[in-house]
Amino acid sequence: MLSVRLERPNDFEEWRGKARRLLIAGMKPSQVVWRVGSEESGLFEAGDDMLPNTDGPIGSVPRQFIELAGDVIQHSDPQRFALLYHLLWRLQDDRRILDNAADGVNSLLTRMASGVHRDAHKMKAFVRFRAVHQNGDERYIAWFEPEHFTLESTAPFFTRRFAGMHWGIITPYASALWDKENLHFGPGGSKKDIPTEDAVEDDWRTYYGAIFNPARLKVAMMKSEMPVKYWRNLPEADRIAPLIRNARQMEQDMIARATTQPPARHMRQKARVIEEESQPIQSLADAAVAIDNCRRCPLYEHATQAVFGEGPKAAEVMFVGEQPGDQEDLAGRPFVGPAGQVFDDAIKNAGIDRSRLYVTNAVKHFKFIPRGKRRIHQKPNAGEIQACRFWLNLEREFVKPRIVVALGATAAQSLVGKAVSISRMRGQPIDLADGSVLYITNHPSYLLRIPDPETKARERQKFQEDLALIHTHMQRLEKS
Ligand code: URA
């Protein structure tokens, strides 16, 4: 048994170098154990110094694997290195494994990659900086306990967002420090290194109290979006219980005040610390940050947040929906609600793996009218679609998909530049000016709304046929 030692728990390049040498040496996955840092080797394990140090050829590795492995390597499961090597080994003979959602290791790794994405998302949402004064300078420091090794990949988000501050994020396994120019990583720390209270806390509490909407209180959903595990590190956590307790009264007060209070957007704007878009947008990640300040149309005023696209940053296929729905607006992610469920089932049936897709919307803010406690979806108008093309165009420019799929009339209008008929345009690839190919099909929520079971079954069938065409095109691209 060969013991392969990695110095760092989440360094993809380090793992890749060793995996490459293992492949060249013809070492089967069953002959290898992976160890990290000072973890002890077993009694009968040989060290990896006997591996060839050459850079000999190995079969080409699909880009999709590299993206998946870059995420999975950050997972906390100790089996991650072995699972990745197992998949890499099999890919040498069969590149199609990555398209096989039923393959056990492939689907396990895809789930692990999603867990890593969720963890990074939580870090972005729940890091709370505290102000510390040092030699007359103000520094900000935060304690965060990620589930996985996600600090290194997530810290650049904070450098863009808080570019003008000296800040540090300390986790149990590593720390990140930003000195307004460079990002440095160092060892982990402990919660007691962080001051417990400061002036910024009050701002968080005020902000939280101001954005709390008693009419939309859903305790279970709130706990899943803001897991209780993070509450202990959130300054605003002590406001949550009283706010929930008083929600009914607050709701009644809100209704009573409704005619005299200033528009909600003024209150929200006041409470929100708005960072103006100060940097040019040079990457997809820059765009994902800048969109938080989008004022290109009035939809930002009432939506909870802009919902940017998600998926591999060089995905070959981009699916474009209409706009986030109620659940997407709360979660900040596209296609996670009921339409997302229909979408997931249909692409799975067609053999398309969502983790390979970049999924986004033509319009990034939820448009709705309030009705009682519900928010009823409204179709975006031509002006809103046009205003938001700026963001969709940026996504297309950075991701450079070779296939673009318009789900529904709004997406088709945004991509073609004018209103089009889906029934006439579906089923045929359309060449776009940037060299990509557009497919137009129905929106999954259209299928959800059809009352007549026969029509519904027929439309679902047509939808599946469109997806099958897209899948065939994807397979052709892979072979070319
Ligand atoms: N409908 C869309 O068009 N996009 C979503 O993200 C959700 C529902």
Side-chain angles (χ1 to χ4, degrees), residues 91-105:
L91 276 173
Q92 303 304 300
D93 293 328
D94 181 2
R95 291 167 62 98
R96 287 165 314 172
I97 303 171
L98 290 172
D99 293 326
N100 181 2
D103 182 273
V105 173

Side-chain angles (χ1 to χ4, degrees), residues 321-325 328 334-335 339 361 443:
E322 182 193 71
Q323 59 162 340
E328 287 79 12
F335 283 102
N361 284 300
H443 193 284

Side-chain angles (χ1 to χ4, degrees), residues 133-351:
H133 293 275
Q134 240 177 33
N135 311 328
D137 270 353
E138 193 155 55
R139 315 256 149 150
Y140 293 85
I141 197 98
W143 168 249
F144 191 75
E145 295 166 66
E147 260 175 58
H148 305 297
F149 298 103
T150 43
L151 179 65
E152 291 84 346
S153 64
T154 314
F157 164 85
F158 293 96
T159 64
R160 290 187 296 275
R161 173 138 299 188
F162 302 113
M165 282 164 38
H166 274 271
W167 56 254
I169 301 174
I170 318 294
T171 76
Y173 84 94
S175 53
L177 298 175
W178 171 248
D179 62 10
K180 298 196 201 174
E181 276 179 17
N182 296 302
L183 182 60
H184 309 272
F185 291 102
S190 86
K191 190 175 175 185
K192 61 182 176 359
D193 303 335
I194 316 292
T196 48
E197 182 98 358
D198 74 350
V200 186
E201 313 263 292
D202 276 344
D203 294 347
W204 280 114
R205 290 194 185 98
T206 313
Y207 169 68
Y208 191 78
I211 61 162
F212 180 80
N213 183 346
R216 284 183 39 205
L217 176 63
K218 287 196 189 115
V219 178
M221 182 186 285
M222 187 168 137
K223 285 185 175 167
S224 82
E225 261 311 293
M226 190 198 259
V228 176
K229 134 175 183 187
Y230 297 105
W231 290 19
R232 65 176 185 269
N233 294 324
L234 299 177
E236 68 268 31
D238 60 1
R239 293 222 57 190
I240 296 175
L243 284 169
I244 291 176
R245 250 194 328 271
N246 298 334
R248 180 143 292 283
Q249 186 57 48
M250 286 171 77
E251 190 185 343
Q252 279 161 6
D253 291 351
M254 199 167 90
I255 293 166
R257 274 200 322 268
T259 47
T260 54
Q261 72 181 14
R265 66 176 185 277
H266 291 174
M267 292 164 73
R268 271 195 287 143
Q269 273 173 353
K270 211 169 141 209
R272 192 185 278 166
V273 184
I274 293 175
E275 283 237 324
E276 281 309 327
E277 190 183 305
S278 53
Q279 312 230 345
I281 298 173
Q282 282 163 343
S283 65
L284 192 62
D286 287 349
V289 172
I291 198 167
D292 283 345
N293 296 323
C294 179
R295 304 288 184 265
R296 287 171 184 268
C297 80
L299 293 185
Y300 76 89
E301 291 179 10
H302 299 289
T304 308
Q305 58 194 314
V307 177
F308 201 62
E310 67 176 22
K313 47 185 179 296
E316 293 208 303
V317 187
M318 177 181 281
F319 274 76
V320 185
E322 182 193 71
Q323 59 162 340
D326 183 73
Q327 295 199 25
E328 287 79 12
D329 168 80
L330 295 174
R333 297 183 51 215
F335 283 102
V336 293
Q341 192 58 54
V342 176
F343 175 66
D344 283 350
D345 291 346
I347 56 169
K348 197 163 162 212
N349 274 339

Side-chain angles (χ1 to χ4, degrees), residues 409 412-414 416-421:
Q413 178 168 348
S414 176
V416 176
K418 59 176 191 214
V420 294
S421 146

